């Protein structure tokens, strides 16, 4: 826990975000995902390979806290999709 906390703080000091990663039903995944701001000229490429997805019931909107996190990720240059219907 001490090492993890120190790394989380070091990541934040570099402008990054360290998110705890939990994947129920899938063993042995890493402990955290570390994200650093994506330069504007690279955002399109990153979005082709990595996206965040928020699933909502049909016609439901994200809660205020979810919107805040989506905005934080988008400000760092990541794509966040809110999906409320079957494609």
């Amino acid at each position: 826990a001490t090492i993890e906390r120190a790394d989380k703080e070091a990541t934040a000091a570099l402008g990054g975000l360290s998110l705890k990663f939990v994947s129920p039903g899938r063993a042995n995944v890493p402990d955290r995902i570390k994200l650093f701001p994506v330069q504007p000229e690279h955002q399109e490429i990153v979005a082709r390979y990595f996206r965040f997805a928020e699933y909502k019931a049909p016609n439901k909107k994200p809660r205020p806290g979810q919107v805040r996190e989506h905005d934080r990720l988008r400000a760092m240059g990541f794509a966040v999709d809110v999906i409320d219907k079957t494609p």
Side-chain angles (χ1 to χ4, degrees), residues 6 12 20 32 36-37 40 59 65 67 71 77-78:
K20 187 72 173 170
R32 289 190 170 268
F36 292 92
N59 301 312
V67 170
D71 290 345
F78 293 98

Side-chain angles (χ1 to χ4, degrees), residues 10-53:
T11 299
L14 294 171
L17 185 61
S18 179
L19 303 175
K20 187 72 173 170
F21 184 50
V22 179
S23 186
R26 181 145 184 127
N28 307 310
V29 297
D31 297 316
R32 289 190 170 268
I33 295 174
K34 293 170 60 168
L35 304 170
F36 292 92
V38 179
Q39 297 298 315
E41 63 269 20
H42 300 297
Q43 290 177 8
E44 185 178 324
I45 294 168
V46 171
R48 278 193 246 157
Y49 299 98
F50 186 88
R51 303 178 79 82
F52 289 93

Side-chain angles (χ1 to χ4, degrees), residues 3 15 26 38 51 61 64 68 73:
I3 294 168
R26 181 145 184 127
V38 179
R51 303 178 79 82
K61 301 294 180 198
R68 183 178 59 250
L73 292 166

Side-chain angles (χ1 to χ4, degrees), residues 49-86:
Y49 299 98
F50 186 88
R51 303 178 79 82
F52 289 93
E54 178 77 51
Y55 297 100
K56 305 305 291 181
N59 301 312
K60 296 292 183 183
K61 301 294 180 198
R63 296 184 308 274
Q66 291 173 318
V67 170
R68 183 178 59 250
E69 289 303 313
H70 298 171
D71 290 345
R72 180 182 303 182
L73 292 166
R74 288 180 180 125
M76 291 180 72
F78 293 98
V80 180
D81 302 316
V82 178
I83 302 166
D84 69 349
K85 62 182 181 252
T86 304

